[in-house]
Structure formats: structure tokens, C-alpha cells
Amino acid sequence: MSEHFDPEERHEAAERLRRAGYSEADVQREVTELEQKSATAARIFDLRRIIGGLFVLYGVILTLTGLTDSDAEIDKAQGVNINLWTGVGMLLLGVFFLVWLWLRPASAPAPPLPAPEGTPSD
């Protein structure tokens, strides 16, 4: 999943900077910095991290609750320690999301290719 700006957005941002008096090198540096910040934000707010973290948190809470349930509470659920089993299931799902994130992190955008010499850039 690439986090590049589409070419139209990149061109518009570059034109605004040029009109504001920035040099071509400044424009390229600013656009590159914005793309890097966008990619960093995408990695930080990856939904797998948020979902996995919440499932692990709630799984720990339910598992601890299930471990401390009384016999009366278990009897209410027809003899099944529902808090324990639901907590374990949530823990497994949360760990799955976090392992998935670790094994397949959000890809960083590829650096822009330099323009061939003698050709005008955007």
C-alpha cells in the first residue's frame, strides 16, 4: 500500500510553493518531507495496531475476570466460564493482528526517481 500523493496533488503543492517564492530545490524538499510525514502517520495509525492492541487489552481483562469468576457466575452461563473463553479468544485475535503487523508492516513509499538530466521536472 503506497502512501504517495497522487501526481495532481503533488503538482498543485509544488505550484503553490513556487508562487510563494520557493526555489525548485526547496519545493522538492518540502514535497518529499510531506510524503515522509504522510507515510509515518500511516504506519502509526495502522488499523492492525489499534485493533490488535484493543483486543489484547480487553482479552487480558476478560481472561483475568474469567480466572476469578465464582461458581455461581459460571453456573449462570450453564457451566461455561464464558469470560475466560472469550478473553482467551480475544487475546488470540489481538496477537494475530499484532503479529500480522510485525510480519507485514505498512510499506514505506519509494523515494522519487530523479529526473533524467536535460528534462524539465514537474
Side-chain angles (χ1 to χ4, degrees), residues 1-2 5 12-13 15 17 22 26 34 41 43 60 62-64 70 84 91 93 95 102 108 110-111 113 115 119 122:
M1 142 171 82
S2 179
F5 292 122
E12 288 175 12
E15 283 303 313
L17 289 171
Y22 286 89
D26 290 337
L34 286 173
R43 282 191 301 274
V60 166
L62 275 176
T63 302
L64 291 175
S70 67
L84 178 64
L91 271 172
L93 184 62
V95 168
W102 181 64
L113 297 174
T119 60
D122 289 337

Side-chain angles (χ1 to χ4, degrees), residues 5-20:
F5 292 122
D6 68 39
E8 184 64 29
E9 287 177 339
R10 184 181 177 112
H11 180 70
E12 288 175 12
E15 283 303 313
R16 280 194 303 269
L17 289 171
R18 283 186 197 102
R19 282 190 298 250

Side-chain angles (χ1 to χ4, degrees), residues 48-53 56 93-103:
R48 295 173 294 178
R49 180 184 318 266
I50 296 167
I51 291 170
V56 166
L93 184 62
V95 168
F96 166 76
F97 272 96
L98 295 176
V99 167
W100 179 21
L101 176 70
W102 181 64
L103 291 175

Side-chain angles (χ1 to χ4, degrees), residues 32-42:
T32 302
E33 285 177 12
L34 286 173
E35 285 178 341
Q36 289 171 348
K37 287 178 183 178
S38 174
T40 300

